[in-house]
Amino acid sequence: MKERIQKTIRRAQFAAAGAAIGGGLGGLVGKNAASTAAGFGALIGATIAEKVGPTQEIKERFRRGADAGEVSE
């Protein structure tokens, strides 16, 4: 359950960052472009979170394994 919550939070963080970046860039053009770019940015951010998430989990597992190995010695 904890992993699902962490995954959801990570996805929300990436989506928020994507929306902020997209909205900022679209705002240079106009209001309509800002809202559209924010939506696309959020979608792209959530998609990136889905791709980056498994990589982070694998790194954490290796760290835990290395830490466990150091403790048992």
Side-chain angles (χ1 to χ4, degrees), residues 23-59:
L25 293 175
L28 297 173
V29 178
K31 288 182 184 178
N32 289 336
S35 64
T36 302
F40 280 120
L43 180 62
I44 292 168
T47 303
I48 290 172
E50 290 294 322
K51 301 297 181 190
V52 171
T55 305
Q56 289 178 341
E57 292 172 6
I58 291 171
K59 287 180 184 177

Side-chain angles (χ1 to χ4, degrees), residues 3-73:
E3 292 175 9
R4 291 179 69 189
I5 293 171
Q6 288 175 336
K7 184 178 179 180
T8 303
I9 291 172
R10 182 176 39 248
R11 191 181 315 132
Q13 289 173 334
F14 274 76
I21 293 169
L25 293 175
L28 297 173
V29 178
K31 288 182 184 178
N32 289 336
S35 64
T36 302
F40 280 120
L43 180 62
I44 292 168
T47 303
I48 290 172
E50 290 294 322
K51 301 297 181 190
V52 171
T55 305
Q56 289 178 341
E57 292 172 6
I58 291 171
K59 287 180 184 177
E60 288 175 11
R61 288 181 188 165
F62 279 125
R63 285 185 199 145
R64 284 188 226 145
D67 291 343
E70 292 172 6
V71 172
S72 64
E73 291 181 10

